[in-house]
Tab-separated table of all heavy atoms in Angstrom:
chain	number	residue	atom	x	y	z
Z	68	GLN	N	4.673	-8.123	0.700
Z	68	GLN	CA	3.305	-8.418	1.141
Z	68	GLN	C	2.583	-7.153	1.580
Z	68	GLN	O	1.524	-7.205	2.201
Z	68	GLN	CB	3.313	-9.448	2.266
Z	68	GLN	CG	3.698	-10.831	1.756
Z	68	GLN	CD	3.440	-11.919	2.783
Z	68	GLN	OE1	2.707	-11.740	3.742
Z	68	GLN	NE2	4.062	-13.061	2.563
Z	69	ALA	N	3.197	-5.999	1.243
Z	69	ALA	CA	2.558	-4.719	1.538
Z	69	ALA	C	2.696	-3.807	0.332
Z	69	ALA	O	3.647	-3.928	-0.443
Z	69	ALA	CB	3.208	-4.068	2.753
Z	70	VAL	N	1.713	-2.919	0.190
Z	70	VAL	CA	1.756	-1.965	-0.913
Z	70	VAL	C	1.222	-0.624	-0.409
Z	70	VAL	O	0.322	-0.584	0.424
Z	70	VAL	CB	0.933	-2.502	-2.125
Z	70	VAL	CG1	-0.557	-2.605	-1.798
Z	70	VAL	CG2	1.152	-1.657	-3.371
Z	71	ASP	N	1.830	0.468	-0.886
Z	71	ASP	CA	1.348	1.803	-0.534
Z	71	ASP	C	0.717	2.425	-1.778
Z	71	ASP	O	1.377	2.556	-2.815
Z	71	ASP	CB	2.507	2.693	-0.056
Z	71	ASP	CG	3.124	2.184	1.238
Z	71	ASP	OD1	2.493	1.348	1.914
Z	71	ASP	OD2	4.233	2.623	1.570
Z	72	VAL	N	-0.539	2.807	-1.639
Z	72	VAL	CA	-1.292	3.332	-2.773
Z	72	VAL	C	-1.898	4.680	-2.401
Z	72	VAL	O	-2.434	4.835	-1.302
Z	72	VAL	CB	-2.443	2.368	-3.167
Z	72	VAL	CG1	-3.077	2.792	-4.489
Z	72	VAL	CG2	-1.940	0.942	-3.272
Z	73	VAL	N	-1.802	5.654	-3.318
Z	73	VAL	CA	-2.350	6.991	-3.057
Z	73	VAL	C	-3.336	7.375	-4.157
Z	73	VAL	O	-3.206	6.934	-5.294
Z	73	VAL	CB	-1.229	8.060	-2.981
Z	73	VAL	CG1	-0.288	7.781	-1.815
Z	73	VAL	CG2	-0.447	8.144	-4.295
Z	74	PRO	N	-4.346	8.205	-3.783
Z	74	PRO	CA	-5.286	8.692	-4.789
Z	74	PRO	C	-4.641	9.787	-5.637
Z	74	PRO	O	-3.819	10.555	-5.119
Z	74	PRO	CB	-6.443	9.252	-3.952
Z	74	PRO	CG	-5.847	9.588	-2.626
Z	74	PRO	CD	-4.664	8.678	-2.427
Z	75	LEU	N	-5.005	9.869	-6.896
Z	75	LEU	CA	-4.510	10.927	-7.788
Z	75	LEU	C	-5.660	11.865	-8.152
Z	75	LEU	O	-6.777	11.399	-8.338
Z	75	LEU	CB	-3.919	10.314	-9.061
Z	75	LEU	CG	-2.627	9.524	-8.891
Z	75	LEU	CD1	-2.178	8.976	-10.244
Z	75	LEU	CD2	-1.523	10.360	-8.270
Z	76	PRO	N	-5.373	13.172	-8.350
Z	76	PRO	CA	-4.090	13.845	-8.070
Z	76	PRO	C	-3.788	13.815	-6.572
Z	76	PRO	O	-4.695	13.912	-5.759
Z	76	PRO	CB	-4.309	15.264	-8.577
Z	76	PRO	CG	-5.788	15.449	-8.658
Z	76	PRO	CD	-6.400	14.104	-8.826
Z	77	LEU	N	-2.505	13.715	-6.255
Z	77	LEU	CA	-2.097	13.488	-4.868
Z	77	LEU	C	-2.163	14.756	-4.017
Z	77	LEU	O	-1.611	15.784	-4.378
Z	77	LEU	CB	-0.672	12.921	-4.861
Z	77	LEU	CG	-0.055	12.632	-3.492
Z	77	LEU	CD1	-0.930	11.707	-2.674
Z	77	LEU	CD2	1.328	12.024	-3.659
Z	78	ASP	N	-2.889	14.661	-2.920
Z	78	ASP	CA	-2.944	15.744	-1.953
Z	78	ASP	C	-2.936	15.108	-0.565
Z	78	ASP	O	-3.936	14.567	-0.103
Z	78	ASP	CB	-4.224	16.576	-2.163
Z	78	ASP	CG	-4.398	17.651	-1.097
Z	78	ASP	OD1	-3.498	17.799	-0.235
Z	78	ASP	OD2	-5.425	18.352	-1.116
Z	79	TRP	N	-1.764	15.140	0.088
Z	79	TRP	CA	-1.600	14.461	1.378
Z	79	TRP	C	-2.522	15.005	2.450
Z	79	TRP	O	-2.756	14.345	3.468
Z	79	TRP	CB	-0.150	14.552	1.856
Z	79	TRP	CG	0.778	13.678	1.070
Z	79	TRP	CD1	1.634	14.070	0.081
Z	79	TRP	CD2	0.936	12.243	1.186
Z	79	TRP	NE1	2.298	12.961	-0.415
Z	79	TRP	CE2	1.905	11.849	0.244
Z	79	TRP	CE3	0.344	11.274	2.010
Z	79	TRP	CZ2	2.301	10.514	0.089
Z	79	TRP	CZ3	0.733	9.946	1.861
Z	79	TRP	CH2	1.703	9.577	0.909
Z	80	ASN	N	-3.023	16.237	2.258
Z	80	ASN	CA	-3.864	16.834	3.295
Z	80	ASN	C	-5.333	16.461	3.167
Z	80	ASN	O	-6.130	16.732	4.052
Z	80	ASN	CB	-3.732	18.362	3.254
Z	80	ASN	CG	-2.317	18.769	3.611
Z	80	ASN	OD1	-1.743	18.255	4.572
Z	80	ASN	ND2	-1.734	19.652	2.813
Z	81	ASN	N	-5.684	15.874	2.031
Z	81	ASN	CA	-7.083	15.524	1.800
Z	81	ASN	C	-7.356	14.079	2.229
Z	81	ASN	O	-7.392	13.156	1.423
Z	81	ASN	CB	-7.412	15.724	0.313
Z	81	ASN	CG	-8.915	15.717	0.067
Z	81	ASN	OD1	-9.679	15.175	0.869
Z	81	ASN	ND2	-9.332	16.296	-1.031
Z	82	ILE	N	-7.550	13.918	3.527
Z	82	ILE	CA	-7.722	12.588	4.112
Z	82	ILE	C	-8.974	11.905	3.566
Z	82	ILE	O	-8.999	10.679	3.383
Z	82	ILE	CB	-7.798	12.694	5.664
Z	82	ILE	CG1	-6.476	13.227	6.226
Z	82	ILE	CG2	-8.138	11.352	6.300
Z	82	ILE	CD1	-5.260	12.382	5.937
Z	83	GLU	N	-9.994	12.702	3.271
Z	83	GLU	CA	-11.255	12.123	2.775
Z	83	GLU	C	-11.020	11.283	1.512
Z	83	GLU	O	-11.621	10.234	1.333
Z	83	GLU	CB	-12.262	13.259	2.515
Z	83	GLU	CG	-13.642	12.800	2.064
Z	83	GLU	CD	-14.187	11.599	2.858
Z	83	GLU	OE1	-14.121	11.607	4.111
Z	83	GLU	OE2	-14.663	10.649	2.217
Z	84	ARG	N	-10.117	11.743	0.647
Z	84	ARG	CA	-9.849	11.000	-0.581
Z	84	ARG	C	-9.075	9.715	-0.301
Z	84	ARG	O	-9.249	8.716	-0.981
Z	84	ARG	CB	-9.135	11.901	-1.603
Z	84	ARG	CG	-10.087	13.022	-2.045
Z	84	ARG	CD	-9.591	13.843	-3.214
Z	84	ARG	NE	-9.105	13.030	-4.288
Z	84	ARG	CZ	-7.857	13.084	-4.767
Z	84	ARG	NH1	-7.004	13.930	-4.269
Z	84	ARG	NH2	-7.504	12.320	-5.753
Z	85	PHE	N	-8.227	9.755	0.711
Z	85	PHE	CA	-7.529	8.520	1.117
Z	85	PHE	C	-8.537	7.525	1.695
Z	85	PHE	O	-8.458	6.324	1.451
Z	85	PHE	CB	-6.439	8.841	2.154
Z	85	PHE	CG	-5.177	9.387	1.541
Z	85	PHE	CD1	-5.030	10.741	1.301
Z	85	PHE	CD2	-4.143	8.535	1.189
Z	85	PHE	CE1	-3.865	11.250	0.725
Z	85	PHE	CE2	-2.976	9.030	0.617
Z	85	PHE	CZ	-2.842	10.389	0.384
Z	86	GLU	N	-9.483	8.060	2.453
Z	86	GLU	CA	-10.541	7.223	3.034
Z	86	GLU	C	-11.353	6.556	1.925
Z	86	GLU	O	-11.653	5.363	1.982
Z	86	GLU	CB	-11.492	8.078	3.887
Z	86	GLU	CG	-10.921	8.530	5.210
Z	86	GLU	CD	-11.082	7.482	6.312
Z	86	GLU	OE1	-11.623	6.400	6.031
Z	86	GLU	OE2	-10.647	7.761	7.444
Z	87	LYS	N	-11.696	7.340	0.918
Z	87	LYS	CA	-12.533	6.847	-0.175
Z	87	LYS	C	-11.802	5.739	-0.943
Z	87	LYS	O	-12.367	4.676	-1.198
Z	87	LYS	CB	-12.872	8.026	-1.104
Z	87	LYS	CG	-13.877	7.698	-2.174
Z	87	LYS	CD	-14.357	8.959	-2.893
Z	87	LYS	CE	-15.118	8.592	-4.147
Z	87	LYS	NZ	-14.317	8.678	-5.379
Z	88	LEU	N	-10.552	5.996	-1.282
Z	88	LEU	CA	-9.763	4.992	-2.001
Z	88	LEU	C	-9.587	3.736	-1.139
Z	88	LEU	O	-9.726	2.613	-1.621
Z	88	LEU	CB	-8.394	5.568	-2.389
Z	88	LEU	CG	-7.447	4.597	-3.114
Z	88	LEU	CD1	-8.007	4.201	-4.483
Z	88	LEU	CD2	-6.056	5.192	-3.271
Z	89	GLY	N	-9.311	3.959	0.137
Z	89	GLY	CA	-9.104	2.836	1.058
Z	89	GLY	C	-10.342	1.970	1.175
Z	89	GLY	O	-10.256	0.740	1.179
Z	90	ARG	N	-11.500	2.626	1.273
Z	90	ARG	CA	-12.750	1.858	1.380
Z	90	ARG	C	-12.958	1.027	0.130
Z	90	ARG	O	-13.378	-0.130	0.185
Z	90	ARG	CB	-13.944	2.806	1.596
Z	90	ARG	CG	-14.065	3.305	3.023
Z	90	ARG	CD	-15.444	3.902	3.303
Z	90	ARG	NE	-15.752	5.042	2.453
Z	90	ARG	CZ	-15.452	6.307	2.759
Z	90	ARG	NH1	-14.856	6.591	3.898
Z	90	ARG	NH2	-15.768	7.291	1.937
Z	91	LYS	N	-12.641	1.611	-1.018
Z	91	LYS	CA	-12.767	0.901	-2.291
Z	91	LYS	C	-11.830	-0.315	-2.318
Z	91	LYS	O	-12.216	-1.408	-2.739
Z	91	LYS	CB	-12.448	1.881	-3.433
Z	91	LYS	CG	-12.426	1.295	-4.799
Z	91	LYS	CD	-13.814	0.919	-5.247
Z	91	LYS	CE	-14.313	1.779	-6.356
Z	91	LYS	NZ	-15.716	1.657	-6.656
Z	92	ILE	N	-10.602	-0.117	-1.873
Z	92	ILE	CA	-9.628	-1.212	-1.870
Z	92	ILE	C	-10.089	-2.339	-0.941
Z	92	ILE	O	-10.034	-3.520	-1.303
Z	92	ILE	CB	-8.216	-0.696	-1.469
Z	92	ILE	CG1	-7.657	0.206	-2.577
Z	92	ILE	CG2	-7.268	-1.859	-1.186
Z	92	ILE	CD1	-6.348	0.893	-2.252
Z	93	MET	N	-10.597	-1.977	0.238
Z	93	MET	CA	-11.062	-2.994	1.184
Z	93	MET	C	-12.274	-3.750	0.628
Z	93	MET	O	-12.394	-4.966	0.791
Z	93	MET	CB	-11.419	-2.350	2.537
Z	93	MET	CG	-10.242	-1.721	3.271
Z	93	MET	SD	-8.801	-2.800	3.478
Z	93	MET	CE	-9.330	-3.813	4.861
Z	94	GLN	N	-13.140	-3.031	-0.060
Z	94	GLN	CA	-14.343	-3.637	-0.638
Z	94	GLN	C	-13.959	-4.624	-1.747
Z	94	GLN	O	-14.457	-5.746	-1.810
Z	94	GLN	CB	-15.222	-2.510	-1.180
Z	94	GLN	CG	-16.533	-2.956	-1.801
Z	94	GLN	CD	-17.077	-1.885	-2.749
Z	94	GLN	OE1	-16.888	-0.686	-2.533
Z	94	GLN	NE2	-17.722	-2.317	-3.822
Z	95	LYS	N	-13.023	-4.193	-2.604
Z	95	LYS	CA	-12.583	-5.072	-3.699
Z	95	LYS	C	-11.855	-6.299	-3.149
Z	95	LYS	O	-11.997	-7.402	-3.676
Z	95	LYS	CB	-11.644	-4.326	-4.657
Z	95	LYS	CG	-12.334	-3.324	-5.534
Z	95	LYS	CD	-13.082	-3.988	-6.679
Z	95	LYS	CE	-13.963	-2.959	-7.394
Z	95	LYS	NZ	-15.056	-3.563	-8.151
Z	96	ALA	N	-11.069	-6.086	-2.104
Z	96	ALA	CA	-10.338	-7.201	-1.497
Z	96	ALA	C	-11.331	-8.253	-1.010
Z	96	ALA	O	-11.133	-9.457	-1.187
Z	96	ALA	CB	-9.480	-6.705	-0.339
Z	97	ASP	N	-12.413	-7.769	-0.428
Z	97	ASP	CA	-13.460	-8.642	0.065
Z	97	ASP	C	-14.084	-9.431	-1.098
Z	97	ASP	O	-14.251	-10.645	-1.029
Z	97	ASP	CB	-14.516	-7.772	0.752
Z	97	ASP	CG	-15.352	-8.570	1.719
Z	97	ASP	OD1	-14.757	-9.349	2.489
Z	97	ASP	OD2	-16.583	-8.437	1.692
Z	98	GLU	N	-14.385	-8.740	-2.170
Z	98	GLU	CA	-14.984	-9.385	-3.347
Z	98	GLU	C	-14.055	-10.432	-3.950
Z	98	GLU	O	-14.492	-11.459	-4.460
Z	98	GLU	CB	-15.319	-8.328	-4.417
Z	98	GLU	CG	-16.532	-7.477	-4.091
Z	98	GLU	CD	-16.698	-6.297	-5.045
Z	98	GLU	OE1	-16.204	-6.365	-6.190
Z	98	GLU	OE2	-17.303	-5.295	-4.622
Z	99	LEU	N	-12.755	-10.122	-3.921
Z	99	LEU	CA	-11.769	-11.036	-4.528
Z	99	LEU	C	-11.278	-12.089	-3.535
Z	99	LEU	O	-10.409	-12.895	-3.859
Z	99	LEU	CB	-10.567	-10.232	-5.051
Z	99	LEU	CG	-10.832	-9.258	-6.201
Z	99	LEU	CD1	-9.628	-8.351	-6.434
Z	99	LEU	CD2	-11.171	-10.015	-7.480
Z	100	ASN	N	-11.822	-12.026	-2.316
Z	100	ASN	CA	-11.429	-12.986	-1.285
Z	100	ASN	C	-9.961	-12.879	-0.891
Z	100	ASN	O	-9.278	-13.882	-0.693
Z	100	ASN	CB	-11.699	-14.408	-1.775
Z	100	ASN	CG	-12.741	-15.072	-0.911
Z	100	ASN	OD1	-12.763	-14.841	0.308
Z	100	ASN	ND2	-13.599	-15.865	-1.524
Z	101	ILE	N	-9.482	-11.652	-0.815
Z	101	ILE	CA	-8.100	-11.404	-0.409
Z	101	ILE	C	-8.144	-10.755	0.981
Z	101	ILE	O	-8.819	-9.742	1.174
Z	101	ILE	CB	-7.380	-10.481	-1.423
Z	101	ILE	CG1	-7.345	-11.141	-2.805
Z	101	ILE	CG2	-5.975	-10.153	-0.950
Z	101	ILE	CD1	-6.884	-10.217	-3.924
Z	102	ASN	N	-7.453	-11.377	1.919
Z	102	ASN	CA	-7.502	-10.921	3.306
Z	102	ASN	C	-6.390	-9.901	3.560
Z	102	ASN	O	-5.212	-10.253	3.605
Z	102	ASN	CB	-7.354	-12.155	4.210
Z	102	ASN	CG	-7.605	-11.828	5.670
Z	102	ASN	OD1	-7.894	-10.682	6.029
Z	102	ASN	ND2	-7.477	-12.839	6.509
Z	103	ILE	N	-6.785	-8.644	3.686
Z	103	ILE	CA	-5.772	-7.602	3.897
Z	103	ILE	C	-6.110	-6.721	5.088
Z	103	ILE	O	-7.247	-6.665	5.542
Z	103	ILE	CB	-5.562	-6.691	2.664
Z	103	ILE	CG1	-6.868	-6.015	2.240
Z	103	ILE	CG2	-4.935	-7.432	1.522
Z	103	ILE	CD1	-6.647	-4.847	1.289
Z	104	LYS	N	-5.073	-6.024	5.563
Z	104	LYS	CA	-5.232	-5.024	6.620
Z	104	LYS	C	-4.893	-3.658	6.038
Z	104	LYS	O	-4.013	-3.529	5.194
Z	104	LYS	CB	-4.258	-5.318	7.769
Z	104	LYS	CG	-4.749	-6.386	8.712
Z	104	LYS	CD	-3.919	-6.390	9.993
Z	104	LYS	CE	-2.568	-7.014	9.788
Z	104	LYS	NZ	-1.865	-7.398	11.001
Z	105	TRP	N	-5.591	-2.657	6.555
Z	105	TRP	CA	-5.383	-1.279	6.103
Z	105	TRP	C	-4.601	-0.538	7.187
Z	105	TRP	O	-4.958	-0.602	8.367
Z	105	TRP	CB	-6.755	-0.647	5.881
Z	105	TRP	CG	-6.775	0.751	5.349
Z	105	TRP	CD1	-5.714	1.521	4.982
Z	105	TRP	CD2	-7.950	1.536	5.111
Z	105	TRP	NE1	-6.147	2.734	4.521
Z	105	TRP	CE2	-7.504	2.781	4.584
Z	105	TRP	CE3	-9.316	1.315	5.280
Z	105	TRP	CZ2	-8.400	3.792	4.241
Z	105	TRP	CZ3	-10.198	2.328	4.935
Z	105	TRP	CH2	-9.744	3.556	4.420
Z	106	GLY	N	-3.543	0.175	6.750
Z	106	GLY	CA	-2.695	0.907	7.686
Z	106	GLY	C	-3.428	1.987	8.471
Z	106	GLY	O	-2.964	2.424	9.514
Z	107	ARG	N	-4.583	2.416	7.969
Z	107	ARG	CA	-5.384	3.396	8.695
Z	107	ARG	C	-5.809	2.851	10.057
Z	107	ARG	O	-6.001	3.582	11.010
Z	107	ARG	CB	-6.637	3.738	7.888
Z	107	ARG	CG	-7.515	4.767	8.564
Z	107	ARG	CD	-8.916	4.750	8.040
Z	107	ARG	NE	-9.594	3.498	8.312
Z	107	ARG	CZ	-10.898	3.302	8.175
Z	107	ARG	NH1	-11.651	4.264	7.725
Z	107	ARG	NH2	-11.447	2.129	8.426
Z	108	ASP	N	-5.960	1.529	10.109
Z	108	ASP	CA	-6.469	0.899	11.324
Z	108	ASP	C	-5.359	0.513	12.297
Z	108	ASP	O	-5.629	-0.087	13.331
Z	108	ASP	CB	-7.297	-0.345	10.953
Z	108	ASP	CG	-8.445	0.021	10.024
Z	108	ASP	OD1	-8.977	1.135	10.160
Z	108	ASP	OD2	-8.790	-0.792	9.155
Z	109	PHE	N	-4.121	0.851	11.956
Z	109	PHE	CA	-3.011	0.555	12.862
Z	109	PHE	C	-3.124	1.416	14.119
Z	109	PHE	O	-3.614	2.534	14.079
Z	109	PHE	CB	-1.655	0.853	12.198
Z	109	PHE	CG	-1.261	-0.132	11.139
Z	109	PHE	CD1	-0.104	0.071	10.401
Z	109	PHE	CD2	-2.028	-1.260	10.875
Z	109	PHE	CE1	0.283	-0.831	9.415
Z	109	PHE	CE2	-1.655	-2.160	9.897
Z	109	PHE	CZ	-0.487	-1.946	9.164
Z	110	LYS	N	-2.619	0.877	15.214
Z	110	LYS	CA	-2.567	1.684	16.428
Z	110	LYS	C	-1.398	2.668	16.290
Z	110	LYS	O	-0.399	2.356	15.672
Z	110	LYS	CB	-2.334	0.778	17.637
Z	110	LYS	CG	-3.532	-0.098	17.922
Z	110	LYS	CD	-3.375	-0.819	19.253
Z	110	LYS	CE	-4.455	-1.870	19.421
Z	110	LYS	NZ	-4.080	-3.172	18.855
Z	111	GLY	N	-1.564	3.837	16.877
Z	111	GLY	CA	-0.509	4.833	16.783
Z	111	GLY	C	-0.557	5.540	15.446
Z	111	GLY	O	-1.583	6.095	15.079
Z	112	LEU	N	0.544	5.504	14.736
Z	112	LEU	CA	0.651	6.185	13.444
Z	112	LEU	C	-0.321	5.592	12.420
Z	112	LEU	O	-0.212	4.433	12.042
Z	112	LEU	CB	2.090	6.030	12.935
Z	112	LEU	CG	2.470	6.686	11.609
Z	112	LEU	CD1	2.688	8.184	11.777
Z	112	LEU	CD2	3.745	6.055	11.061
Z	113	LYS	N	-1.265	6.398	11.981
Z	113	LYS	CA	-2.197	5.942	10.942
Z	113	LYS	C	-1.494	6.006	9.596
Z	113	LYS	O	-0.979	7.044	9.216
Z	113	LYS	CB	-3.435	6.833	10.903
Z	113	LYS	CG	-4.436	6.517	11.999
Z	113	LYS	CD	-5.663	7.383	11.808
Z	113	LYS	CE	-6.606	7.327	13.001
Z	113	LYS	NZ	-7.215	6.032	13.220
Side-chain angles (χ1 to χ4, degrees):
Q68 289 192 17
V70 65
D71 295 344
V72 190
V73 297
L75 292 180
L77 179 55
D78 175 4
W79 287 102
N80 295 315
N81 194 338
I82 296 300
E83 183 44 47
R84 294 190 47 239
F85 280 87
E86 287 275 1
K87 188 170 167 261
L88 178 65
R90 282 196 299 271
K91 175 70 111 192
I92 291 174
M93 296 308 281
Q94 181 201 327
K95 287 283 170 201
D97 201 45
E98 286 170 25
L99 295 169
N100 244 324
I101 299 170
N102 189 0
I103 57 165
K104 279 194 284 196
W105 183 3
R107 181 200 64 167
D108 302 327
F109 287 176
K110 291 189 190 88
L112 181 78
K113 281 184 191 294

